[in-house]
Amino acid sequence: MTVLIDLILLAMLVITAFRIIYIKDLFSVVMLFGIYSFLCAALFVTLDAVDVAFTEASVGAGISTVLMLSTIAITGRKEKLSLHSHTFATLIVLLTGGALIYGTFDMPLFGLADNPVHEHVAPRYIETSPTEIGLPNMVTSVLASYRGFDTFGETVVVFAAAIGVFSLLGVRGKPTELLAQEQGLTQHKVLRVVAKISIPLIILFALYVQFHGDFGPGGGFQAGVIAAAAFILYALTFSLRKAVGVVSPRFVKYLAPVGVLLYASVGLVSMLNGANFLDYNVLAADPVDGQHYGIIIIELGVGITVFSVMLGIFYAFAGQVEKANVQ
Amino acid sequence: MSLIFEHFNHWVVVILMMIGLYIVITANNLVKKVVGLNIFQSAVFLMYITMGKVVGGTAPILAEGVTQYSNPLPHVLILTAIVVGVATTAVGLSLVLRIKSAYGTIEENEFQNKEDVI
């Protein structure tokens, strides 16, 4: 049964991706890409990667769709006819694809328990992490503790991307006269009521995902994105001005490094206690308790950074759209 | 027949990756190129998650009476990669916006021959 669902989802994925090639209307392309991401998320669930599915659903179908829509709001929704040589592209793609497919015959078969990828490191994570870290969710244990350095690096990369976007597009410190006139979807009563009901629930859910990530699927990355999505929904339905009044761009700008610094400070505290950077065992008398404290704090740091980066990027894009509308 | 099922995921990954590559090569519009890059990227994600799956296993969250878990390591790598992916996509899209404001167009063949105005 799972295999059947898997096959159907994969086929739908290919059909969606294939349609994107030929559609010239960018609005449809972006919408199809949202569907594509959601199918990906469903596929990740059937492949047992619930944490990844969570992230893909909130990021792919949520944030990146909004960012692409705000881009085409400025750049226009029609793609002009391409002058590129399609036969040349087809030839390259077929050659590369053929070589890759030829390569898959040497790959280990799908889903066998003794594949090389399951032989090294993973058994140790699966067998000892529940007692050594004391968390049932192994993904969180690996993410936050065993590979804490990696995750720290990723958080810094997300922060760096925010710096890139802010320096390219600029982010306002405070609302300007551009935002003076009232906007938002004033005519759409149903949307406004539904948004009003669901926004508190989305924020509550984000907090649940943040602090329950040690025990079930979830964690700082997902929670940050979900919380940012709640504020983006608020900005889209009730005008950017109101959203900026609740969480100002200046606040978001200062909040982004706070998460990274919180993460790094946990590492420094463990160094001051005589252990290695990000070794949580020394944070409490009992190593397992220390791991708990460390993971909760660094997940909070990740959540804060991801939330503020996503919201800040949205503000930067929305500010550009407003500017284009005024002109 | 079993060969098809055992490699089907890998083949779909290759097909998706090639669709992404094709869009990146042929698309004239920069936003569509970014979409193509994202499809290419998600094919890589799918590859990792496919490798982590163990048939008969469950999600790597400790539960009573479960002996076989799927591999948590690819999940961790891809989870963070997705969030980094959207952050870098945002950087790409903001470059597109700057190109629009500098050249007035984001169609590749239209700004390619213009003088460098930035």
Side-chain angles (χ1 to χ4, degrees), chain A residues 3 6-7 10 13-14 17-18 20-21 23 26 29 33 36 43-44 46-52 55-56 59 63-64 67-68 71-72 74-75 78-84 86 89-90 93 96-97 100-101 104-105 107-111 113 117-118 122 125-126 130 136-139 142-143 147 150 154 157-158 161 165 168-169 215-217 221-222 306 310 313 317 320, chain B residues 3 5-19 21-23 25-29 31-35 38-40 42-43 45-47 49-62 67-84 86-91 93-98 100 105-110 112:
Chain A
V3 176
D6 198 51
L7 293 184
L10 285 170
L13 212 54
V14 172
F18 213 77
I20 293 178
I21 300 179
I23 291 185
L26 290 173
V29 167
F33 184 66
Y36 176 89
L43 197 61
F44 290 152
T46 67
L47 293 173
D48 290 345
V50 278
D51 285 87
V52 184
T55 321
E56 178 71 40
V59 165
I63 307 278
S64 60
L67 293 183
M68 284 177 184
T71 309
I72 61 170
I74 298 172
T75 59
K78 281 274 172 273
E79 187 196 14
K80 295 196 182 134
L81 209 61
S82 171
L83 300 176
H84 290 281
H86 286 248
T90 316
V93 162
T96 324
L100 286 174
I101 295 228
T104 61
F105 288 109
M107 293 264 308
L109 298 182
F110 169 69
V117 65
H118 308 304
Y125 291 153
I126 292 172
N137 188 351
M138 296 160 199
V139 175
V142 178
L143 179 95
R147 302 189 72 92
D150 263 25
E154 309 270 17
V157 171
V158 170
V165 172
L168 281 168
L169 298 182
F215 302 96
F221 283 101
Q222 295 93 330
V306 171
M310 293 299 151
I313 289 175
F317 275 81
Q320 294 288 316
Chain B
L3 184 74
F5 286 121
E6 276 150 351
H7 280 302
F8 190 72
N9 281 41
H10 300 144
W11 295 341
V12 170
V13 166
V14 172
I15 293 170
L16 290 176
M17 195 178 258
M18 287 309 111
I19 291 176
L21 184 63
Y22 185 83
I23 295 176
I25 296 174
T26 58
N28 207 22
N29 187 294
V31 175
K32 201 164 176 185
K33 266 197 208 295
V34 173
V35 172
N38 269 301
I39 291 177
F40 192 97
S42 73
F45 296 164
L46 206 55
M47 184 77 195
I49 301 299
T50 299
M51 287 198 292
K53 168 76 177 168
V54 177
V55 170
T58 65
I61 297 172
L62 195 68
T67 50
Q68 183 72 63
Y69 296 101
S70 286
N71 192 341
L73 187 56
H75 300 182
V76 174
L77 301 178
I78 297 314
L79 194 162
T80 51
I82 289 176
V83 179
V84 170
V86 72
T88 47
T89 301
V91 177
L93 289 174
S94 30
L95 283 171
V96 172
L97 287 181
R98 290 307 299 266
K100 170 76 178 175
T105 174
I106 57 162
E107 303 291 328
E108 202 182 39
N109 58 336
E110 289 175 8
Q112 225 164 26

